[in-house]
Amino acid sequence: MQDRILIVEDDESISELIQYNLRNAGYQTLSAYDGETGIELAAKDQPSLVLLDVMLPGMDGWSVCRELRKHSDVPILFLTAKDDEFDRVLGLELGADDYITKPFSIRELVARVKAVLRRTEGKQAGNQQVVRIRDLSVNLSSHEVMVAGQTVSLTPMEYQLLSILVSNPGRVFSREQLLNQVWGDDFFGDYRTVDVHISHLREKLKTSGDMIHTVRGFGYKLKE
């Protein structure tokens, strides 16, 4: 089954160019020219990935991302003309998986789309395997995460970070190791990406105590 990409971009010429090239790369596409329509299509058609422009009429891309993250863990790749650290970090903090700044080459955009989809597919375990640490339970086959018997909703990136840590309790992972294992060598971001997602994980797992410890100057570990 082909992956379906939702493009939320108000510039019709850019949207059409992206659609044409993604279709040539083997993807199905949907398009929206404003944030409200993008949210409706995301809920209705359940795309595999959302390409989301920041500067949209009415509801901007940041607000659209917030709304999508209330109900969905669909991968989000921001299209932005802004390239300073604040905007990159804000996008990640809102739950985006990657970003690309305008102007961009179509070849790079398609490569980013492929990379995000590849990273968020997750690694399927051959057999049912459940890791339990205190009141945290992680099913490495079904990707279900529970804390104190309650299901916790994680984005694909958050889940992959957690699965690495729970599979190696007590082991310290550097930011570079986590960045490479979760996002891959083709990711263009920096170590702050790891910090932001770890912060999200801690918030979502807070009822299980401070299980993810910072090893100052190096990285993170999960404490049993």
Side-chain angles (χ1 to χ4, degrees):
M1 182 178 177
Q2 289 180 307
D3 286 311
R4 184 185 297 115
I5 313 299
L6 170 60
I7 303 156
V8 187
E9 163 64 66
D10 65 317
D11 187 318
E12 293 190 28
S13 61
I14 293 178
S15 178
E16 289 172 1
L17 178 64
I18 293 173
Q19 289 181 67
Y20 174 79
N21 284 276
L22 287 178
R23 288 170 183 165
N24 282 346
Y27 299 106
Q28 296 179 359
T29 63
L30 301 164
S31 62
Y33 301 111
D34 60 75
E36 291 83 355
T37 305
I39 292 172
E40 292 174 4
L41 287 178
K44 175 184 175 184
D45 294 292
Q46 299 293 304
S48 305
L49 181 144
V50 177
L51 285 175
L52 178 58
D53 187 29
V54 172
M55 304 303 291
L56 294 169
M59 178 182 284
D60 63 23
W62 307 131
S63 300
V64 173
C65 185
R66 288 190 188 94
E67 287 301 311
L68 291 177
R69 280 292 172 258
K70 290 179 181 179
H71 311 288
S72 172
D73 61 2
V74 61
I76 297 172
L77 194 161
F78 266 120
L79 305 175
T80 175
K82 300 180 179 180
D83 193 27
D84 61 42
E85 182 181 8
F86 174 81
D87 290 298
R88 296 197 303 271
V89 171
L90 177 59
L92 294 170
E93 287 180 340
L94 292 174
D97 296 273
D98 201 354
Y99 57 87
I100 184 169
T101 54
K102 299 177 181 178
F104 49 79
S105 74
I106 287 297
R107 179 177 296 181
E108 181 186 1
L109 176 64
V110 173
R112 293 286 192 97
V113 167
K114 290 180 178 178
V116 171
L117 288 172
R118 185 168 61 249
R119 292 195 299 264
T120 55
E121 281 173 356
K123 301 175 181 177
Q124 296 296 326
N127 300 306
Q128 184 87 347
Q129 184 181 359
V130 179
V131 178
R132 293 185 177 88
I133 300 176
R134 288 187 253 168
D135 58 355
L136 171 67
S137 173
V138 180
N139 188 313
L140 299 176
S141 178
S142 67
H143 295 185
E144 183 179 36
V145 177
M146 303 185 75
V147 174
Q150 300 296 314
T151 299
V152 178
S153 178
L154 302 180
T155 67
M157 298 294 97
E158 291 165 358
Y159 171 78
Q160 289 191 46
L161 275 174
L162 180 62
S163 66
I164 291 170
L165 294 173
V166 300
S167 297
N168 302 273
R171 176 180 169 183
V172 181
F173 288 89
S174 69
R175 290 173 174 83
E176 181 179 9
Q177 288 174 320
L178 292 172
L179 194 67
N180 288 338
Q181 288 192 46
V182 175
W183 284 268
D185 295 334
D186 52 4
F187 183 61
F188 291 80
D190 54 31
Y191 297 157
R192 182 64 190 273
T193 301
V194 176
D195 297 336
V196 170
H197 283 78
I198 288 290
S199 176
H200 289 173
L201 262 180
R202 282 174 166 158
E203 179 66 22
K204 292 181 178 182
L205 302 178
K206 62 183 179 182
T207 55
S208 191
D210 186 14
M211 299 182 69
I212 301 176
H213 285 234
T214 300
V215 180
R216 190 173 299 276
F218 191 74
Y220 299 98
K221 70 176 182 179
L222 190 136
K223 185 177 179 180
E224 293 185 90

